Amino acid sequence: MSGVAGDGTLAPSDFRVAAVAFAERWKSAVSALPPWSWIPRPKHPWLSNEVDGYLALENACLLGSSEENRVGCCGGSEEPNCSGDDEPVDDATLVQSSRDDVHYYDFHIIYDSSYRVPVLYFRAYCGDGRTLLLNEFEGDLPADSSEALVKSKWTFITQEEHPYLNRPWYKLHPCGTSECIKLLFQSDASIRTTSGAAELYLLSWFSVVGRMVGLGIPYEMMKYENNT
Amino acid sequence: MASDSPNSDRKIVVHLRATGDAPILKQAKFKISGAEKFAKVIDFLCRQLHRETLFVYVNSAFSPNPDELVNDLYENFGFDGKLVVNYACSMAWG
């Protein structure tokens, strides 16, 4: 079964399609952040509902002392030199930020076979590579999202072993994802049945989940041709 | 679609639509300047419903950044002369 199920889940066979479409649109719409890459992983023949990889966006930097807490771009792991095309960078702000203030983030979008939805895993670390604990980078999260995370029934932050990397990462728990997607997709009944439904899934999902960690979806990313 | 045109001063009709188990507003339609940020719509909703957080999204299965301009959202997701904004309760424990 392809497309988006009426229960708000995503079929494993559609995850790769959705991921590739998401990554391409991100690249053309988001210039201030690194692109997403598909990381292939071998499947285990004895597991069902598996997918053969996940999406990764790494070395995104947050200027810890910035008032806006906007995520900037840091292609490599060296200098926190963020050059977004979208808005002029305030050099004074950058100079005042000491290296300790700069937090780096790795984001992985990984398919969860039991919930049948994507899950956002993330890891924060500082300039010297030391992994940060939640209470150390909580301040980076948008103020309203921290509150929403505490009170939301859609998701909450939990720490778990990364499914592939065998290290503790944080993730946004998927228990509310399908409900959330159901509501989102109900807003346009024709969406689920179009051939672009799988592609739309990750975009819709990320517009909610990504914002919890300071990443959003600019509206330009949502523009697509409706193959009705 | 020029963003410098006088259109940026226009008022956009926003239609608030309750979904899930969210309470329905007595007045569900109002006008807002296109130059305002979407955050203003979210704040308005939260205040009207006495909630601190809400799940807010537009048609086309998309939850916009609060920083987006209402004008831009209307241009891209509006139809029939209005922008439909759906909302659901995101709080379960409060």
Side-chain angles (χ1 to χ4, degrees):
Chain A
M1 181 204 320
S2 91
V4 179
D7 59 1
T9 63
L10 181 69
S13 49
D14 284 325
F15 179 70
R16 175 93 188 247
V17 169
V20 166
F22 177 78
E24 272 174 22
R25 291 221 205 164
W26 177 277
K27 204 164 20 169
S28 42
V30 181
S31 56
L33 283 168
W36 292 86
S37 315
W38 176 260
I39 312 291
R41 285 284 147 166
K43 283 204 229 190
H44 302 103
W46 58 88
L47 290 176
S48 63
N49 281 349
E50 245 200 324
V51 300
D52 56 0
Y54 61 93
L55 277 175
L57 187 162
E58 304 196 338
N59 300 318
C61 83
L62 267 162
L63 303 176
S65 61
S66 137
E67 301 132 355
E68 285 185 358
N69 277 338
R70 295 289 293 273
V71 183
C73 77
C74 289
S77 45
E78 318 87 8
E79 307 257 353
N81 246 338
C82 298
S83 58
D85 288 330
D86 293 335
E87 49 192 314
V89 175
D90 183 354
D91 283 336
T93 309
L94 280 176
V95 165
Q96 281 164 13
S97 303
S98 69
R99 192 170 271 276
D100 288 343
D101 276 349
V102 181
H103 295 163
Y104 296 88
Y105 285 79
D106 293 342
F107 297 99
H108 290 177
I109 298 179
I110 303 181
Y111 183 79
D112 186 301
S113 319
S114 31
Y115 284 98
R116 291 171 61 90
V117 296
V119 180
L120 183 66
Y121 283 77
F122 58 100
R123 180 176 88 94
Y125 48 101
C126 52
D128 60 8
R130 181 178 66 88
T131 300
L132 296 167
L133 295 174
L134 181 57
N135 61 347
E136 292 176 286
F137 67 83
E138 234 173 350
D140 294 343
L141 303 179
D144 59 342
S145 85
S146 316
E147 192 170 310
L149 274 168
V150 168
K151 296 174 179 162
S152 170
K153 69 181 173 188
W154 304 123
T155 190
F156 50 93
I157 293 182
T158 179
Q159 191 177 30
E160 240 177 67
E161 184 166 295
H162 190 289
Y164 299 111
L165 302 179
N166 298 323
R167 283 197 303 272
W169 278 53
Y170 289 100
K171 77 178 197 189
L172 292 176
H173 200 278
C175 55
T177 295
S178 59
E179 256 190 79
C180 183
I181 295 291
K182 258 196 293 190
L183 275 181
L184 277 167
F185 274 58
Q186 270 165 20
S187 67
D188 188 342
S190 64
I191 287 179
R192 283 208 329 268
T193 56
T194 68
S195 54
E199 292 188 7
L200 181 61
Y201 190 103
L202 272 185
L203 291 163
S204 299
W205 169 79
F206 199 80
S207 74
V208 178
V209 168
R211 224 176 40 252
M212 297 280 186
V213 292
L215 300 176
I217 297 255
Y219 69 85
E220 293 93 342
M221 253 180 93
M222 294 306 293
K223 291 199 242 182
Y224 70 110
E225 274 113 43
N226 230 328
N227 299 324
T228 42
Chain B
M1 224 157 271
S3 52
D4 300 324
S5 70
N7 270 344
S8 53
D9 288 338
R10 66 175 169 185
K11 296 273 196 185
I12 306 292
V13 175
V14 174
H15 182 194
L16 300 171
R17 227 178 113 241
T19 63
D21 52 1
I24 301 175
L25 285 171
K26 278 204 191 110
Q27 186 186 339
K29 281 194 181 145
F30 69 101
K31 283 185 180 175
I32 185 175
S33 161
E36 293 279 13
K37 289 192 178 172
F38 189 60
K40 193 143 187 196
V41 178
I42 301 175
D43 284 344
F44 174 79
L45 265 172
C46 288
R47 273 185 285 118
Q48 291 289 305
L49 298 170
H50 308 293
R51 306 235 169 213
E52 287 169 47
T53 60
L54 280 172
F55 176 37
V56 184
Y57 55 105
V58 296
N59 282 349
S60 305
F62 167 58
S63 186
N65 268 329
D67 287 342
E68 303 280 22
L69 294 178
V70 174
N71 234 352
D72 291 331
L73 296 178
Y74 171 72
E75 292 283 336
N76 290 280
F77 306 103
F79 65 95
D80 267 2
K82 61 184 187 290
L83 176 68
V84 175
V85 174
N86 305 291
Y87 61 94
C89 288
S90 62
M91 290 172 56
W93 335 114

